[in-house]
């Protein structure tokens, strides 16, 4: 069962805020009146009695204490920066399993928490951006991939694993090889627009029919993982509930934000190893 953390956070802030407001409007004035009445009846007020009369209900005390903290977390998480952890190797070698990343929540527009409606236009995803988004078939799941296709683009992926955008082959340079699932995997430097980054291909592995093409509709984006043969991305999504022309496309309303930095890595906490900061840096 997935947990809608943004909704829980909004509810928590609302409940704590209501408790603080009730205390400000109703309970605090009553406490002050009770203290004034007591002080008017005695010549020397007992400090213990005053403390008892001025004591806030436990629920109100907790609500007032947590409200500013939760409100700050909600604002930061909803409008500025949100942390995520990488659960799979689909973005190798750019991102490794266990990387903790930071996502810019305002790079592609200010959105209301929970509702996710864009209220302020800021910018649009650019080709080559590493973007977090909600999986179209299950919006409760967050995915992270690289933006390949923009609205209006024609994307092709050939049988020899070359990417073409609008009839132009994407520039790539072979850097070397490393062990792969089936023999060796080849490492390339790829250039998408102004973005240069590493990608990984397993030349003996095929997961789809060759020669596929996609035309990206307005308001949608085509996403691929840098680990090209070990990534569940726009090339493979299949959902009978989604119109065929939109299969594999990420609608603008599903965008979460732009991943921009790794701040910590913790590959396998179950092995009782400690987090490390060797991979800290900006994401390209």
């Amino acid at each position: 069962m997935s947990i809608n953390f943004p909704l829980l956070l909004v509810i928590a802030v609302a409940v704590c805020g209501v408790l603080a407001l009730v205390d400000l409007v109703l309970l605090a004035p009553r406490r002050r009146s009770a203290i004034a009445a007591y002080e008017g009846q005695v010549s020397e007020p007992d400090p213990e009695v005053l403390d008892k009369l001025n004591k806030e209900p436990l629920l109100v005390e907790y609500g007032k204490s947590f409200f500013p903290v939760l409100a700050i977390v909600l604002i930061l998480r909803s409008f500025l920066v949100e942390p995520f952890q990488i659960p799979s190797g689909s973005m190798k070698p750019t991102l490794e399993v266990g990387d903790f990343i930071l996502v810019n929540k305002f790079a592609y527009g200010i959105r209301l928490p929970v509702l996710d409606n864009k209220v302020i236009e800021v910018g649009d995803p650019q080709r080559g951006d590493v973007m977090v988004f909600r999986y179209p078939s299950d919006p409760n799941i967050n995915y992270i991939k690289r933006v390949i296709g923009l609205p209006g683009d024609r994307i092709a992926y050939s049988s020899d694993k070359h990417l073409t955008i609008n009839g132009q082959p994407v520039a790539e340079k072979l850097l070397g090889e490393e062990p792969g699932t089936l023999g060796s995997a080849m490492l390339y430097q790829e250039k998408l627009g102004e973005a240069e980054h590493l990608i990984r291909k397993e030349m003996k592995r095929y997961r789809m029919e060759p020669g596929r093409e996609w035309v990206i509709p307005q308001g949608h984006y085509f996403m691929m993982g840098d680990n090209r043969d070990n990534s569940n991305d726009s090339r493979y999504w299949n959902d009978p509930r989604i119109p065929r022309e939109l299969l594999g496309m990420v609608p603008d309303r599903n965008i979460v934000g732009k991943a921009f930095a790794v701040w910590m890595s913790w590959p396998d906490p179950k092995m009782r190893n400690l987090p490390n900061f060797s991979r800290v840096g900006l994401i390209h």
Side-chain angles (χ1 to χ4, degrees):
M1 182 179 66
S2 59
I3 298 176
N4 191 330
F5 182 75
L7 178 59
L8 292 179
L9 184 58
V10 169
I11 292 174
V13 171
V15 170
C16 291
V18 168
L19 289 173
L21 183 62
V22 168
D23 183 67
L24 178 67
V25 175
L26 297 177
L27 302 183
R30 291 179 183 177
R31 291 197 300 272
R32 290 193 294 269
S33 297
I35 291 173
Y38 170 70
E39 290 177 335
Q41 296 173 358
V42 297
S43 57
E44 294 185 8
D46 187 338
E48 292 186 1
V49 174
L50 290 176
D51 288 342
K52 185 176 180 180
L53 292 174
N54 196 41
K55 185 174 179 58
E56 299 172 341
L58 187 61
L59 191 60
V60 169
E61 183 179 350
Y62 280 130
K64 291 176 64 176
S65 299
F66 285 121
F67 175 70
V69 177
L70 293 176
I72 291 172
V73 171
L74 177 63
I75 292 171
L76 290 176
R77 189 182 184 279
S78 300
F79 304 115
L80 299 177
V81 176
E82 183 176 358
F84 287 90
Q85 184 181 17
I86 303 301
S88 73
S90 69
M91 283 298 291
K92 285 185 175 182
T94 303
L95 298 171
E96 299 285 346
V97 176
D99 281 351
F100 285 77
I101 65 170
L102 296 176
V103 173
N104 184 331
K105 297 297 293 286
F106 61 85
Y108 305 137
I110 304 298
R111 300 170 189 266
L112 295 176
V114 181
L115 299 177
D116 293 316
N117 293 332
K118 187 187 294 186
V119 292
I120 301 176
E121 294 283 349
V122 176
D124 295 316
Q126 301 299 306
R127 203 186 322 279
D129 287 356
V130 177
M131 188 170 80
V132 174
F133 56 93
R134 296 189 306 280
Y135 181 38
S137 293
D138 186 354
N140 292 316
I141 302 175
N142 289 314
Y143 270 31
I144 181 168
K145 307 291 178 187
R146 193 174 294 275
V147 178
I148 302 297
L150 304 177
D153 282 348
R154 180 178 294 274
I155 307 297
Y157 199 69
S158 66
S159 58
D160 57 355
K161 302 190 177 184
H162 284 107
L163 177 64
T164 302
I165 301 177
N166 297 325
Q168 299 297 318
V170 172
E172 58 182 31
K173 177 183 178 182
L174 179 63
L175 299 180
E177 61 181 82
E178 65 178 19
T181 306
L182 299 173
S184 62
M186 313 305 290
L187 294 177
Y188 293 84
Q189 184 178 55
E190 181 180 75
K191 185 173 183 180
L192 284 171
E194 299 301 318
E196 291 189 358
H197 53 274
L198 300 181
I199 63 171
R200 184 176 183 272
K201 300 181 187 179
E202 296 191 33
M203 303 309 293
K204 295 182 179 180
R205 186 175 188 186
Y206 290 90
R207 295 178 54 202
M208 57 176 283
E209 64 271 23
R212 289 284 303 277
E213 284 193 357
W214 300 264
V215 177
I216 318 305
Q218 292 300 313
H220 291 74
Y221 299 88
F222 190 90
M223 313 297 297
M224 290 174 63
D226 289 348
N227 195 359
R228 292 291 159 83
D229 298 295
N230 290 280
S231 172
N232 180 25
D233 53 40
S234 291
R235 296 169 293 172
Y236 307 111
W237 297 337
N238 188 16
D239 188 334
R241 298 170 299 176
I242 298 176
R244 183 172 179 80
E245 65 274 13
L246 297 181
L247 278 177
M249 308 302 161
V250 175
D252 181 80
R253 65 178 178 273
N254 283 42
I255 292 176
V256 174
K258 179 181 180 180
F260 68 92
V262 175
W263 64 274
M264 185 181 76
S265 294
W266 199 353
D268 194 354
K270 295 181 181 178
M271 297 298 292
R272 298 183 180 178
N273 58 343
L274 295 176
N276 66 82
F277 301 91
S278 61
R279 289 181 46 76
V280 171
L282 297 178
I283 297 172
H284 298 289

